[in-house]
Each structure stands twice: as C-alpha cells, then as structure tokens.
Amino acid sequence: MKEIACKLLVIGTGPGGYVCAIRAGQLGLDTVIVEMAKPGGTCLNIGCIPSKALIHAADDFYGAVAMAAGKNAMGIRAENPAIDLAKTMAWKDGITGRLTMGVSGLLKKAGVKIVVGRAKFRDGKTVAVETETGQQVIRAENIVIATGSAPVELPALPFGGKVISSTGALSLTEVPGRLAIVGAGYIGLELGIAFAKLGSKVTIVEALDRILPLYDTQLTQPVAKRLSALGAEVLLGTKVRGMSATGEALLAETGDGEEKRIAADRVLVTVGRRPVTEGWGREELELDMDGRFLRIDEQCRTSMRGIYAIGDVTGEPMLAHRAMAQGEMVAEIVSGKRRNWDKRAIPAICFTDPEIVSVGLSPDEARAGGREVKVGHFPFTANGRAMTLSSEEGFVRVVARADNHLVLGIQAVGTGVSELSAAFSLAVEMGARLEDIAATIHAHPTQSEAFAEASMRALGHALHV
Ligand SMILES: Cc1cc2nc3c(=O)[nH]c(=O)nc-3n(C[C@H](O)[C@H](O)[C@H](O)COP(=O)(O)OP(=O)(O)OC[C@H]3O[C@@H](n4cnc5c(N)ncnc54)[C@H](O)[C@@H]3O)c2cc1C
C-alpha cells in the first residue's frame, strides 16, 4: 500500500480526535484520522449519548408507571405501561448511528482522510495502521494521540458473564431483576437510577463513605434521597470481594467486617476509567507520563516535538467537552495560530435524578485558599417554573469573592439543571460579578431565574425568598 504523507495525523475519532480533525480540515491542513472501532469514540457509541438516551426512556417509563398507580398529582392516568428494552436499545442505536454517520460526514466535508484500523507508532513521525486490506504507513509532521479511555476492571470481578461494564449495561435487551452496581460515581449512579426506574432492584456498593465523592454533600443529598425513594439500596464503606462460588451473589464486606451477600442477576462495575496508553506503540516513543496519563503542557504538547495528546488519555476531568476543546485548540496551534489552554472552568454534570451541575469552585474549594467568599443559595421551592414541572427539589448556588463579587463557581441540583450549565459556564468564563447576573433579565417563568435570585441573595437582596 502506498505510504500517506500528511501535515496532521489524529489517532482516535472520539470527541477529542474528530473535533481536532474537523477543525484542522477547516483550516486547510492536510489531515488524516485513524479509528479502529466506530467513529465518535466512547462518547457517541458507548458513553454520553447512549446513557442519556436510556435515562430519558427510563424517565418516561417510570412516569407512566406512576400514572398507572394513580400517583400523578396532575390527574393523568395510564394503564398497563410496559417496556420492551430491546426496542429501547434499537431506538438508542438509531440515535448513535445517526450521530456516528454525521461525524464521518463532517470529517469528509472538511476534507479529512479517514483510515480504518489500529494505529501503532513506528517512530515519532511514522504510524502503521493495520487495515482490512493490509498495512497502511502514514508519515506526519504532527501527530495527535486521542486514544481515550476504557472501563477499569476489578481483578476480583473480571468482565464476562454476569459481570458487565457500562458498555454491557447499555446493550442489555432485558431489564435485570436484581442489579448490583459496584461504584457510586456518576456513571454508576446515572445507570443505577435508570435501571431502578425500569424496575430493577438496585443495590449500589461503594468503598468510600459517600456517593459522588467529587461533589459536596449539599449537592449529593437530593440524589441520595431519590435513590432511597426508588428503593435502591446504597451500601457505603463496603468493599467487594468477588462473586460467590455459585455465581449467584456478589460478596462484599462492610467497614465493620460484616459479610454481605448481594443476590444479583447482573453486576455492573463502574469503578472508573483508565486512559488508553497501551496498544498504540508508546514503547517506540519517549513520552513523559503524569501518573497513569500522558503528560501534556498548556498547549497539549507531549514531551516529544510534534506529538500532541488530547482527551481522556491526558487526565481529569475525563469529559467529552474537555476533549473537544483541546482538539479544537491543537488544530489551531498546528495551523500556526497562537493558542493556549486559558479556560477558567470546565462544567461537570451528573445526569442523575435530580441532575447536578458544577462549574468552577464550590464554597469549600473557594475558601481553601484563605479567600473570603459570599455564597448565595436559592431553592427551587421558591421558583414558579419548578413548581409547574413538579420538580421543587434542589437549588442554585453561587460562590463569589467577598471583596469584588467576582463569581468563582456556580452549582445546582434539580430536574433539568444540566441545561443551566451554559449560563453558568458563560458567567464564569466572562468573569461576571454577582451584580452582572443580578442585573441580567432572566425570562419568566424559567428555572434560570433561580440563578439571578441566588446572585441577588449573595448580595443580600433576593426578591422571592
Ligand atoms: C457510560 C458513560 C457515560 C458518559 N457520559 C458522559 C457525559 O454525559 N458527558 C461527558 O462529557 N462525558 C461522558 N463520558 C465520558 C466521555 O465519553 C469521554 O470523556 C470522551 O469520550 C473522551 O473522548 P476522547 O476523544 O478522549 O476518547 P474516546 O471517546 O474514548 O475515543 C477514543 C477513540 O480512539 C480509538 N482508538 C484507541 N486506540 C486506537 C488505535 N491504536 N488506533 C485507532 N484508534 C484507536 C478508540 O477506538 C476510540 O474510538 C461518559 C463515559 C461513559 C463510559
């Protein structure tokens, strides 16, 4: 096969890689992208999008079940709701299929050449790809490593049979009667709540003494309350030991040494994700590491000239929008533009019930630097729109410097608050002060009014509480 020479080679078509390649193509760079699985990476195929599709289907089904049970305050009735999970999965696959085709189309439109197969470095400028029709050698002036991440496997619970990862959970065609989940991070809780709504008896086992350890308890408490209302059992401070000899039950041990046997039809292990730093010839290179991740600087440059790395392979937060922003920046740098990682904050969302969104610093994080802060908190119980949505649980919280009122962080918990993340991120990124948010007219009736009210409250003059 004839060698390909190009200006930019991207390895991996996840959100980091495909965005980088599209932007590079738009900028007129001669760009090649390599993918060994489906375009779109983890996010589009087995991550963000399919999980949100399942969560939406579970919400609809759960609502219908509540109506059938006469538990609908609006007087809506339904009869005999049922779910055909195989059909739900086919609907979800239709969405991911449309999106992955869209990614291929966008890459082609930008003039990017797509090579399908596993890429392996030969040296810092050369990559060999094992394609269906033989080996394709690609020489590139610049190479971007965007190989992403994979689920962490526990030695005591290897994937296979009953033991599944998030990928397995997102392709189940029957709702498991009893679902045990190991790990109470955002992936475990998003899927756990969805399956609890679909009718599974969910038990969550977490080694730490709290759920969602990256968020403060004020934010996670409404989620814990909801898990309990859904009948999900959460065993905190409990370590898994493995499956029982018969494979019937998950074995675990509490902090007090008490043995737990959790009968389960499926065991979903969501104990984190590991960067994919093997399988692409790292041994042929001299790349510095930052713990288990590839070390990068503020321009996503690795320790080797002309080699960049973006996305999950480069560190936390392992989120699609961080990967995309890095990808876009690297394409611009390679094209000769002066760019640096100058983001003030990366929003993080848990699509749990209720949802959690966090941008910038929490009150404790802001105080940790010895800074004095003002915190404004506005509950959805005082928000008209939240009442009309039957979603009064939760609040918006704004954290600002006490001296000049510069907003340092914004958090919210509540139904649908993920969509408020845009306003929150914009405020932090633009360097808004409490007065800016308080003086902005927020449309009525919307949940976003709680954002303005929280800012007013931090200033000492909220109107509706
Ligand atoms: C269940 C779940 C839910 C999630 N939900 C969210 C969410 O709501 N919001 C959010 O922001 N993030 C979410 N994430 C995380 C998100 O999916 C990742 O942060 C994101 O996909 C990282 O993008 P990436 O480009 O770094 O890598 P990936 O998306 O992992 O893509 C890497 C690609 O590289 C390819 N590749 C690897 N090695 C090679 C090789 N040698 N040759 C060729 N190709 C190769 C892989 O096949 C893959 O397609 C979720 C993840 C999971 C698992």
Side-chain angles (χ1 to χ4, degrees), residues 53-70:
L54 183 71
I55 288 166
H56 177 66
D59 279 348
D60 274 9
F61 176 65
Y62 186 70
V65 169
M67 286 172 200

Side-chain angles (χ1 to χ4, degrees), residues 351-387:
F351 290 82
T352 41
D353 180 8
E355 294 174 348
I356 298 177
V357 51
S358 178
V359 180
L361 304 180
S362 69
D364 285 347
E365 287 165 344
R367 285 187 195 108
R371 227 186 255 122
E372 272 197 43
V373 297
K374 279 184 181 289
V375 179
H377 177 280
F378 189 83
F380 283 124
T381 43
N383 175 268
R385 180 62 177 146
M387 287 181 200

Side-chain angles (χ1 to χ4, degrees), residues 131 150 255 287 385 407 436:
T131 74
L287 295 175
R385 180 62 177 146
V407 175
D436 296 320

